[in-house]
Amino acid sequence: MRRVNKGERARLSLTLNGRKVSGEAEPRMLLSDFLRHVLGATGTHVGCEHGVCGCCTVLIDSTAARACLTLAVQAEGRAITTVEALAGPDGALNALQQAFQNNHALQCGFCTPGILMSFTDLLARNLCPTEAEVVDVLGGHLCRCTGYAGIVAAVLEAARGKSEKSP
Ligand code: FES
Ligand code: FES
C-alpha cells in the first residue's frame, strides 16, 4: 500500500472492470467515494458507510469486500470489479442478474449492486451452494424492500443454471 501524508493527494492506478484507470485520492478517501466520485463508477451504492448494509460491496482481486471499509489507497495496483462489469457490452443481463429479474429479487434496487457482487464471488467459488450457504452470505446485506426470499430463490436459480452448464 502506498504511503500518503496528510494533505497530500496520491495518484492511484488500478484496474477497474478490466480497464487500467487512474485518479487522485486524499489519504482518507474511501474506495467507495473514489469509485463513485473520481472514477464515475456510480453503480456501487453507499448506504451506511460503516460496513453494515453491504450496499458498497465490490470485488477486490476477485474477493468480495466492503468499499466503504477500504481506503482508496489500498486499491493501488489491485483489480476492482463493480456491478457495471456484470452485464454484457450490449447491456444484456448476465445469468445472476436475469435470475434476480425472474424472481422479483429487487424493488428499489438500492441494495442490489452489493448483493450481486457478493453472490458473484460466492458462485465463482461454489458452483452449487446450498440454501443455507446463500442465506449465510445474504446475512451480510440489508434490503428494506424484498424480504429476501426472492433473492435466495434467484441465487439458487442462477447456481442451478451454472451447474447444468458445467461439464
Ligand atoms: S455502505 Fe458499505 S457496508 Fe453500508
Ligand atoms: S431492493 Fe430496495 S433496499 Fe433492497
Side-chain angles (χ1 to χ4, degrees):
M1 182 174 65
R2 171 178 304 194
R3 185 180 174 85
V4 185
N5 297 318
K6 198 173 171 203
E8 206 182 308
R9 290 168 76 87
R11 181 130 206 109
L12 306 178
S13 298
L14 55 123
T15 303
L16 175 63
N17 298 332
R19 233 168 21 96
K20 298 273 182 208
V21 294
S22 62
E24 289 194 347
E26 289 157 5
R28 295 181 62 178
M29 182 175 237
L30 300 174
L31 177 59
S32 47
D33 291 333
F34 184 69
L35 289 170
R36 290 177 55 83
H37 303 307
V38 178
L39 300 181
T42 54
T44 299
H45 290 172
V46 175
C48 65
E49 286 194 284
H50 289 291
V52 176
C53 73
C55 283
C56 65
T57 303
V58 298
L59 304 186
I60 302 179
D61 292 340
S62 304
T63 299
R66 306 282 209 238
C68 77
L69 294 184
T70 306
L71 295 172
V73 292
Q74 292 177 290
E76 163 77 11
R78 315 287 289 273
I80 309 296
T81 309
T82 64
V83 71
E84 284 94 342
L86 299 187
D90 58 353
L93 302 182
N94 78 2
L96 181 60
Q97 292 172 307
Q98 187 60 56
F100 267 60
Q101 188 178 84
N102 297 346
N103 291 277
H104 310 290
L106 67 155
Q107 289 181 44
C108 79
F110 193 81
C111 67
T112 311
I115 293 177
L116 286 170
M117 298 319 291
S118 281
F119 285 113
T120 297
D121 177 18
L122 177 71
L123 295 177
R125 290 182 286 106
N126 181 351
L127 209 53
C128 218
T130 63
E131 182 169 337
E133 287 168 329
V134 171
V135 169
D136 187 48
V137 171
L138 197 49
H141 291 271
L142 294 176
C143 172
R144 301 188 69 165
C145 298
T146 70
Y148 304 104
I151 300 171
V152 174
V155 176
L156 293 174
E157 179 183 303
R160 271 196 306 278
K162 268 190 167 224
S163 56
E164 276 164 19
K165 275 189 203 149
S166 75

